[in-house]
Amino acid sequence: MANTMSPGDKVLMFETGHFATLWHKMALRLDIQPEFLGLPGYEGWRHGVQADMIEARLKEDTNHALKAVCVVHNETSTGVTSDIAAVRKAIDAAGHPALLIVDTISGLASADYRHDEWGVDVTVSGSQKA
């Protein structure tokens, strides 16, 4: 798999709150085809990423159509922080080549984040938060 994203590519996202929802909308505007996993309703906004759900979905993707897994590290709207190391372990356990892309705009300076140690491929952040 090439380590690039192009219009029409499929990605797996996990809904954890407002910023995950905005990331989903941005992907649609960029002609990326997101599949949005999550817990039902606003209950999902009270929990971080469920790595077991990501692993199960990636195991189903035997032709590797999903090019990336996109998750939010820390949701500003709820304060929920996701276990990014567990997401990497889920991708690896599924034997899937998807990139791990993490939005840590509000988490980088306020919560533990280890890009290299956790095997993150792309980190998106900014200096305006935390």
Side-chain angles (χ1 to χ4, degrees):
M1 177 188 98
N3 289 335
T4 62
M5 296 292 302
S6 301
D9 282 348
K10 296 178 181 181
V11 299
L12 186 62
M13 296 181 155
F14 203 95
E15 183 173 16
T16 52
H18 184 66
F19 284 90
T21 301
L22 290 176
W23 208 4
H24 179 264
K25 289 178 182 180
M26 181 180 66
L28 290 171
R29 285 192 305 269
L30 295 171
D31 197 27
I32 300 294
Q33 297 177 22
E35 180 179 329
F36 217 18
L37 291 180
L39 299 173
Y42 287 107
E43 182 61 28
W45 285 29
R46 294 185 181 101
H47 302 277
V49 171
Q50 305 297 297
D52 59 329
M53 292 174 68
I54 290 174
E55 181 178 342
R57 177 60 187 100
L58 291 178
K59 284 181 176 177
E60 294 171 357
D61 184 33
T62 57
N63 64 349
H64 300 157
L66 294 164
K67 302 297 182 193
V69 174
C70 305
V71 296
V72 175
H73 174 225
N74 177 264
E75 273 286 350
T76 309
S77 61
T78 63
V80 169
T81 301
S82 290
D83 185 345
I84 302 304
V87 175
R88 169 46 69 196
K89 288 176 186 173
I91 294 169
D92 293 347
H96 202 286
L99 296 170
L100 174 54
I101 302 174
V102 179
D103 167 337
T104 185
I105 291 171
S106 70
L108 186 62
S110 62
D112 188 25
Y113 190 77
R114 302 173 190 206
H115 177 92
D116 291 332
E117 185 178 327
W118 294 343
V120 177
D121 295 298
V122 178
T123 294
V124 178
S125 192
S127 62
Q128 76 278 19
K129 289 203 174 180

